[in-house]
């Protein structure tokens, strides 16, 4: 966290590694960054040090995805269930998010990253919300990678919110119930207007979706690695992308579409 993206983002873009097909990269990668606590415990450090190291891993991953031409990265930073963690850890995470944003905003602007925060943001501390608003607004007309940070996010909550918004439109006569189709539903999600993730990467070996992007991951390829999130590096990302490119995506049909 002490090093800003300004230093993490090298002026030269990292070239696409040999073996990766630029035509078959995922347009959108989703990330469940698990294992920060275990990483810290293995080193005899407090859990929160794992989160600090996790931020470095996220910066690294964002930079690589941007350099390699991936259009969007969505990271699960804080779930609606994470409030159940010890109070000091929650406070640490909120302060960490705020500091990261303050430190990295200039670099995000310069690197053309479009950052957005998806989730129930009203419940976040006001100073963090202010930082989020500023970062969102200052990067909104950028043209590079879309970077979605899911914060106080829950997939079921997002679906309920979409259903309620549609119901309100029907109740007010703006919308016919029969006009509600997949497209209308997706337009009420927090990811409206963005392509669905093609690939979900989950670190630290757990084989769960954990209430993440329940609608959007319908056809995503799932990639689970034993690597703990703070150790996730270029080699680990490359491995995930190579495996993705080796899969045959059928979207429920019989033909290989990629
Ligand atoms: C889970 O590890 C990971 C998190 C709670 C994510 C923390 C968030 C970041 C590293 C990035 C924040 C970035 C921005 C841009 C604001 P865990 O604590 O569940 O690990 P464990 O399963 O080993 O206990």
């Amino acid at each position: 966290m002490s090093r800003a993206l300004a230093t993490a983002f090298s002026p030269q873009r990292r070239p696409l590694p040999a073996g990766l097909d630029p035509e078959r990269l995922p347009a959108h990668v989703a990330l469940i960054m698990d294992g920060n606590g275990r990483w810290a415990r293995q080193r005899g450090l407090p859990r929160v040090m794992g989160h600090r190291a996790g931020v470095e891993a996220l910066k690294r991953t964002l930079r690589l995805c941007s350099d390699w031409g991936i259009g969007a990265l969505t990271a699960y930073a804080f779930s609606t269930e994470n409030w159940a963690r010890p109070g000091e850890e929650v406070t640490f995470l909120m302060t960490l998010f705020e500091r990261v944003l303050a430190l990295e905003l200039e670099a995000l602007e310069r690197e053309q990253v479009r950052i957005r925060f998806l989730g129930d943001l009203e419940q976040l501390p006001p100073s963090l919300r202010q930082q989020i608003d500023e970062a969102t607004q200052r990067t909104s007309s950028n043209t590079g990678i879309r970077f979605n940070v899911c914060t106080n996010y829950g997939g079921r909550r997002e679906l309920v919110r979409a259903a309620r918004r549609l119901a309100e439109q029907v109740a007010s006569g703006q919308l016919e119930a029969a006009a509600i189709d997949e497209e209308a539903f997706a337009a009420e999600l927090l990811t409206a207007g963005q392509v669905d993730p093609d690939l979900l990467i989950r670190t630290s070996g757990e084989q769960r979706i954990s209430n993440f992007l329940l609608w959007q991951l319908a056809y995503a390829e799932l990639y689970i690695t034993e690597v703990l999130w703070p150790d996730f590096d270029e080699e680990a990302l490359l491995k995930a992308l190579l495996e993705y490119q080796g899969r045959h995506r059928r979207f429920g049909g019989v033909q290989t579409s990629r």
Side-chain angles (χ1 to χ4, degrees):
M1 202 181 77
S2 51
R3 282 181 8 145
L5 264 181
T7 51
F9 261 124
S10 53
Q12 317 94 307
R13 294 176 92 77
R14 280 160 193 256
L16 196 69
L20 267 188
D21 178 352
E23 302 300 320
R24 296 171 61 233
L25 284 169
H28 185 171
V29 173
L31 282 176
I32 300 182
M33 309 177 286
D34 203 8
N36 292 350
R38 275 161 282 175
W39 182 93
R41 196 169 56 238
Q42 282 175 4
R43 287 162 178 76
L45 296 170
R47 287 178 55 79
V48 294
M49 295 306 284
H51 296 317
R52 268 178 193 249
V55 169
E56 295 306 317
L58 183 56
K59 281 165 33 179
R60 214 161 43 226
T61 306
L62 174 63
R63 183 177 73 246
L64 288 165
C65 288
S66 169
D67 285 356
W68 292 351
I70 290 169
L73 182 70
T74 298
Y76 207 2
F78 193 89
S79 74
T80 46
E81 292 75 32
N82 284 156
W83 296 106
R85 292 186 175 213
E88 320 82 78
E89 185 173 339
V90 170
T91 305
F92 180 90
L93 281 168
M94 296 298 149
T95 310
L96 179 71
F97 295 171
E98 199 175 319
R99 286 199 55 199
V100 170
L101 275 182
L103 276 170
E104 308 297 350
L105 183 52
E106 266 183 40
L108 293 169
E109 278 186 292
R110 194 172 50 250
E111 294 300 323
Q112 293 297 318
V113 175
R114 283 177 275 187
I115 193 168
R116 284 186 55 200
F117 284 75
L118 311 183
D120 261 349
L121 306 183
E122 302 78 41
Q123 279 175 264
L124 302 176
S127 51
L128 173 56
R129 280 171 56 192
Q130 204 178 328
Q131 201 71 55
I132 286 176
D133 287 347
E134 188 179 348
T136 308
Q137 188 247 312
R138 276 176 48 184
T139 64
S140 64
S141 51
N142 282 354
T143 54
I145 190 168
R146 289 179 185 273
F147 180 36
N148 301 311
V149 184
C150 292
T151 311
N152 195 24
Y153 173 88
R156 287 186 173 180
R157 195 180 281 193
E158 182 188 28
L159 295 176
V160 169
R161 174 184 175 272
R164 190 182 300 127
R165 286 162 66 96
L166 289 166
E168 282 164 1
Q169 291 168 38
V170 172
S172 69
Q174 286 169 268
L175 184 70
E176 292 278 336
I180 299 175
D181 55 10
E182 291 188 13
E183 197 185 333
F185 201 93
E188 299 301 336
L189 296 172
L190 299 168
T191 50
Q194 301 197 36
V195 294
D196 287 340
D198 303 293
L199 171 65
L200 169 70
I201 300 174
R202 179 165 192 157
T203 56
S204 94
E206 313 289 351
Q207 313 216 1
R208 290 188 287 275
I209 300 287
S210 299
N211 203 18
F212 190 41
L213 302 176
L214 295 178
W215 172 284
Q216 298 88 337
L217 291 174
Y219 292 103
E221 292 295 321
L222 307 185
Y223 177 84
I224 291 159
T225 170
E226 294 295 326
V227 171
L228 302 178
W229 175 250
D231 290 328
F232 194 82
D233 58 7
E234 179 167 351
E235 188 189 340
L237 179 63
L238 177 58
K239 229 171 136 185
L241 295 174
L242 285 171
E243 173 149 341
Y244 168 81
Q245 293 198 332
R247 299 219 187 143
H248 299 292
R249 302 189 72 198
R250 299 207 306 240
F251 299 96
V254 289
Q255 278 183 336
T256 301
S257 55
R258 275 186 172 257

